[in-house]
Amino acid sequence: DGGITQSPKYLFRKEGQNVTLSCEQNLNHDAMYWYRQDPGQGLRLIYYSQIVNDFQKGDIAEGYSVSREKKESFPLTVTSAQKNPTAFYLCASIRTGNLSGYTFGSGTRLTVV
Amino acid sequence: RKEVEQDPGPFNVPEGATVAFNCTYSNSASQSFFWYRQDCRKEPKLLMSVYSSGNEDGRFTAQLNRASQYISLLIRDSKLSDSATYLCAVILNTGGFKTIFGAGTRLFVKA
């Protein structure tokens, strides 16, 4: 079955450490997105990519980086510059031009220790 | 003012009750509208799109009021399994397409 796979499910980061969250989809979707969700808040857009080798900053891109070398993959790196990274990170995808809803991965819960 | 606003709740209702949530949006460039369901510590899942003429899917009815800039979700005959957080989402067409999510409304259905 097609879908989006995020890994790991849980991730612990030490202060000053960079960590990378994986997101892979086999839906043949063009556009991929990274959101962050904090308790009691809506999803906030970190980065998105409409096509391979191209991506744009979202509303809260500072302290994060991404790459889109393959259509299927959109990894997110949480750098040491992100001062408050503890959150639930969600990857989503959609076929470009299709104004239907997103398909989300199951999320990665990142905690700073 | 947030671009998309929802009453956070929680809404506590008995089984079998009818419950309705509203979601207001501020940007007139809003083009498409959706309701998602999110269970605790899980990802959001698309519940239904919201069409201009209103649409129904079983016990769920979604409506759009463009004049007053809100969408609504009505759940009839509530089940225990309907307990979740309901997120509204709005796609803006501002040269490119951007999706804005509300913070969600929590629903607890009790026996």
Side-chain angles (χ1 to χ4, degrees), chain A residues 10 35 37 40-43 59 88 90 99-102 104-106 109, chain B residues 31-32 34 36 38 41-44 46 87 91 97-99 101-103:
Chain A
Y10 299 97
Y35 286 89
Q37 188 176 36
Q41 296 192 34
L43 281 67
D59 301 317
F88 187 42
L90 287 157
L99 295 180
S100 63
Y102 289 160
F104 282 93
S106 58
R109 201 164 293 276
Chain B
Q31 179 162 336
S32 301
F34 305 90
Y36 286 80
Q38 186 174 24
R41 304 180 74 82
K42 300 283 190 180
E43 75 276 21
L46 182 64
L87 307 175
I91 295 184
F97 294 106
K98 179 180 179 182
T99 301
F101 286 87

Side-chain angles (χ1 to χ4, degrees), chain B residues 1-5 23-33 64-71 89-100:
Chain B
R1 182 184 175 187
K2 292 182 181 177
E3 289 190 271
V4 177
E5 293 197 80
C23 168
T24 59
Y25 61 94
S26 60
N27 195 319
S28 58
S30 300
Q31 179 162 336
S32 301
F33 308 87
L64 166 63
N65 186 318
R66 284 196 183 272
S68 300
Q69 297 193 174
Y70 73 88
I71 61 172
V90 173
I91 295 184
L92 304 179
N93 184 358
T94 54
F97 294 106
K98 179 180 179 182
T99 301
I100 309 292

Side-chain angles (χ1 to χ4, degrees), chain A residues 54-87:
Chain A
D54 187 49
F55 49 83
Q56 285 78 41
K57 293 182 179 180
D59 301 317
I60 56 165
E62 185 175 352
Y64 299 98
S65 66
V66 293
S67 63
R68 187 85 186 278
E69 297 177 2
K70 299 186 301 181
K71 187 175 185 177
E72 300 80 16
S73 179
F74 191 40
L76 173 74
T77 297
V78 184
T79 75
S80 57
Q82 172 48 241
K83 298 306 178 188
N84 185 22
T86 295

